[in-house]
Amino acid sequence: MIRVQSEPFDAGTETNLFLSRNANSGGVATFIGQVRDFQDQDSGSSKTISALELEHYPGMTEKELERIAAEAHTRWPLNDILVIHRYGRMDLGEAIVLVCAAATHRGDAFSACEFVMDWLKTQAPFWKREHSNTDSSWVDAKKSDDTRAERWNKND
Amino acid sequence: MIRVQSEPFDAGTETNLFLSRNANSGGVATFIGQVRDFQDQDSGSSKTISALELEHYPGMTEKELERIAAEAHTRWPLNDILVIHRYGRMDLGEAIVLVCAAATHRGDAFSACEFVMDWLKTQAPFWKREHSNTDSSWVDAKKSDDTRAERWNKND
Amino acid sequence: MSLNVLYFAWVKEKVGTGEEQVSPSDDVQTVADVIEWLKTQSPGHADAFADASQIRVALDQLHVPFDTFIGNAKEIAFFPPVTGGDW
Amino acid sequence: MSLNVLYFAWVKEKVGTGEEQVSPSDDVQTVADVIEWLKTQSPGHADAFADASQIRVALDQLHVPFDTFIGNAKEIAFFPPVTGGDW
């Protein structure tokens, strides 16, 4: 199931719902990406990031996420996949994305979950803008995301 | 943090607590193993499994899990690891194990979470007994678990 | 040819609008042709497409390379490489 | 030598107890020696250790191979290969 929404969601509640929908799967791997508290880590920077905003391409986003989830289903024996992704403005500590993959064998669940995250990061049409105390600016794409996504091609 | 307990735990609530403890980590990978509803899948079998029981080695279990978590911390830059593992009798659909790994980069979180699960499955002293409508019996270890655990040695 | 053109993120800001309907001449056949044609429409367009290596394209909501023919597509979107959370 | 011996899972069931205190003679020096000595203690012990390839050992709560010397260890545990959930 794919959900793209601006409203906050509760990662724990969604995980529990996914678990009970998949009582016939032994293993569930999940990934949660949250707006991290930058101040703790980028202590060298004078910029204080207070929020971030994700613009997206309504319609295409859903299609891309459906396509990525379908691709995961063709690659691994999975019972279910859930992707919840937010857009719009988000505050520190809020969940941005939740991916859950349910499978009989944990290796399949882990691989599918990581695959969905890697493809999502390079192919789902989201663009991040950081709001700080001084300005707001678009964030550049990361080469490391391309590298991670490409790993999944090599194995074909 | 390591917790070994006979009481049921709520995977979603524990995940949320872990997320809020790790607001400075962008990414959290988790794995939940639950007592799956066997009837849906092993339809060829006449045996109906109703519950399972995990015996463990009090004291050593905690030490092994601490050792595995510490090993994960030496291998990947992680902010936090949580392992909750139950022992005793568990009903269908109940969570047996939860592993959470928090990191700045998702690849580290995924690897650490999968590593902890793989080592846990071969090294943490748990023994599973299945209760069915006809009998109860100890479950044999799986060769596939050894193979998965050994992968982490090869990369050293 | 009649195309609905969408712009996102800083491409939208440079062009000055998020959406416009365009009708280039018939010799505009590929994505690359559309980009060259759009660059002539305003200084904002020219600025947005000045470094085409920074532009990604979706045709009818599918990622495509620049040499793709427009064909019967109804919608084309231009945007920077996608970005998400920090992890 | 005085050792606290623990048994788990079907090893415990075959031996008939989960814990016992033993004091083998001084020529019992390694884990393998302890196993051979235990096999002489009762038919249940002999049955539990009949196929030693199915037995795993922890010495003072650390996994060890059969050729490990007991040394000053206080606790030895015998059990089948560990097992967990289905996933």
Side-chain angles (χ1 to χ4, degrees):
Chain A
M1 201 211 313
I2 304 297
R3 274 166 47 195
V4 181
Q5 61 184 56
S6 62
E7 305 76 39
F9 65 90
D10 186 86
T13 302
E14 299 293 346
T15 300
N16 277 348
L17 287 170
F18 186 81
L19 284 169
S20 48
R21 271 205 303 280
N22 291 283
N24 62 343
S25 296
V28 170
T30 84
F31 182 82
I32 301 118
Q34 55 184 355
V35 187
R36 75 181 174 95
D37 189 346
F38 299 82
Q39 292 169 267
D40 284 18
Q41 304 209 341
D42 303 340
S43 51
S45 167
S46 62
K47 206 161 89 168
T48 303
I49 290 160
S50 55
L52 67 81
E53 194 172 344
L54 282 185
E55 184 173 333
H56 82 126
Y57 183 170
M60 180 170 172
T61 307
E62 291 82 354
K63 275 187 201 172
E64 280 293 305
L65 295 179
E66 292 283 3
R67 193 178 62 80
I68 294 167
E71 177 69 26
H73 273 289
T74 70
R75 292 187 179 213
W76 296 278
L78 303 170
N79 297 315
D80 200 4
I81 293 182
L82 168 70
V83 181
I84 303 178
H85 207 302
R86 286 183 66 193
Y87 63 89
R89 189 172 171 123
M90 283 157 263
D91 292 323
L92 301 185
E94 289 186 341
I96 304 173
V97 61
L98 168 68
V99 174
C100 298
T104 302
H105 302 292
R106 68 184 180 281
D108 298 324
F110 276 117
S111 295
C113 191
E114 191 163 10
F115 166 83
V116 168
M117 279 304 305
D118 286 345
W119 270 31
L120 181 162
K121 284 281 297 223
T122 55
Q123 299 181 27
F126 289 101
W127 301 278
K128 183 168 75 166
R129 193 175 187 133
E130 286 178 351
H131 297 275
S132 78
N133 52 336
T134 55
D135 63 356
S136 78
S137 58
W138 295 102
V139 174
D140 286 335
K142 286 192 289 186
K143 182 77 196 105
S144 61
D145 281 331
D146 292 332
T147 311
R148 289 187 62 80
E150 280 158 17
R151 292 181 311 152
W152 300 103
N153 299 332
K154 285 178 200 148
N155 295 334
D156 271 337
Chain B
M1 202 213 312
I2 303 297
R3 275 167 46 195
V4 180
Q5 61 184 56
S6 62
E7 305 75 40
F9 65 90
D10 186 86
T13 302
E14 299 293 346
T15 301
N16 277 347
L17 288 169
F18 186 82
L19 285 168
S20 49
R21 272 205 303 279
N22 290 284
N24 61 343
S25 295
V28 170
T30 83
F31 181 83
I32 301 118
Q34 56 184 354
V35 186
R36 75 181 172 94
D37 189 346
F38 299 84
Q39 292 169 267
D40 285 17
Q41 305 209 340
D42 303 341
S43 50
S45 168
S46 62
K47 205 162 90 168
T48 304
I49 288 158
S50 54
L52 69 79
E53 194 171 346
L54 283 184
E55 185 173 332
H56 82 125
Y57 183 169
M60 179 169 171
T61 306
E62 292 81 355
K63 274 188 201 170
E64 279 294 304
L65 295 178
E66 292 283 4
R67 192 178 62 81
I68 294 167
E71 177 69 25
H73 273 289
T74 68
R75 292 187 179 213
W76 296 279
L78 304 170
N79 296 317
D80 200 4
I81 294 182
L82 169 69
V83 181
I84 303 178
H85 207 301
R86 287 182 66 194
Y87 64 88
R89 189 172 171 124
M90 282 158 262
D91 292 323
L92 301 184
E94 290 187 341
I96 305 173
V97 60
L98 168 69
V99 174
C100 298
T104 303
H105 302 293
R106 67 184 180 282
D108 298 324
F110 275 117
S111 296
C113 191
E114 191 164 9
F115 165 83
V116 168
M117 278 304 305
D118 286 346
W119 271 31
L120 181 161
K121 284 279 296 220
T122 55
Q123 298 181 29
F126 289 102
W127 301 278
K128 184 168 74 164
R129 192 173 189 135
E130 286 178 351
H131 297 275
S132 78
N133 53 336
T134 56
D135 63 355
S136 80
S137 57
W138 295 103
V139 174
D140 286 334
K142 286 192 289 185
K143 182 76 196 106
S144 61
D145 281 332
D146 292 331
T147 311
R148 291 187 62 82
E150 280 158 17
R151 295 181 309 152
W152 300 103
N153 299 331
K154 286 179 198 147
N155 297 333
D156 269 335
Chain C
M1 185 199 301
S2 175
L3 265 178
N4 194 37
V5 188
L6 302 179
Y7 305 103
F8 293 98
W10 56 254
V11 181
K12 173 166 73 181
E13 291 176 352
K14 290 190 176 185
V15 170
T17 182
E19 184 167 4
E20 61 183 333
Q21 200 72 28
V22 301
S23 302
S25 57
D26 284 350
D27 58 330
V28 171
Q29 298 201 329
T30 67
V31 168
D33 294 342
V34 173
I35 290 175
E36 286 312 306
W37 182 85
L38 284 169
K39 283 163 80 170
T40 66
Q41 300 303 298
S42 84
H45 287 81
D47 183 30
F49 291 102
D51 180 1
S53 75
Q54 294 307 303
I55 301 289
R56 299 292 179 272
V57 190
L59 198 61
D60 282 348
Q61 307 193 346
L62 282 175
H63 293 287
V64 293
F66 281 19
D67 58 3
T68 307
F69 282 85
I70 303 300
N72 295 317
K74 299 274 174 269
E75 180 173 299
I76 191 166
F78 297 99
F79 42 78
V82 308
T83 51
D86 252 14
W87 49 82
Chain D
M1 184 200 300
S2 176
L3 267 177
N4 194 36
V5 189
L6 303 178
Y7 307 102
F8 293 98
W10 56 254
V11 181
K12 174 167 72 180
E13 291 176 353
K14 290 190 176 187
V15 169
T17 183
E19 183 167 4
E20 61 184 333
Q21 200 73 27
V22 301
S23 301
S25 57
D26 283 352
D27 57 331
V28 172
Q29 298 201 331
T30 67
V31 167
D33 294 342
V34 173
I35 290 174
E36 288 311 307
W37 183 85
L38 285 169
K39 283 163 80 170
T40 67
Q41 300 304 298
S42 84
H45 287 81
D47 183 31
F49 292 103
D51 181 1
S53 75
Q54 294 307 304
I55 300 290
R56 300 292 179 271
V57 190
L59 198 61
D60 281 348
Q61 307 193 348
L62 282 175
H63 292 288
V64 293
F66 281 20
D67 58 2
T68 308
F69 281 85
I70 304 299
N72 294 318
K74 299 275 173 269
E75 181 173 296
I76 191 167
F78 298 99
F79 42 76
V82 308
T83 52
D86 253 14
W87 48 82

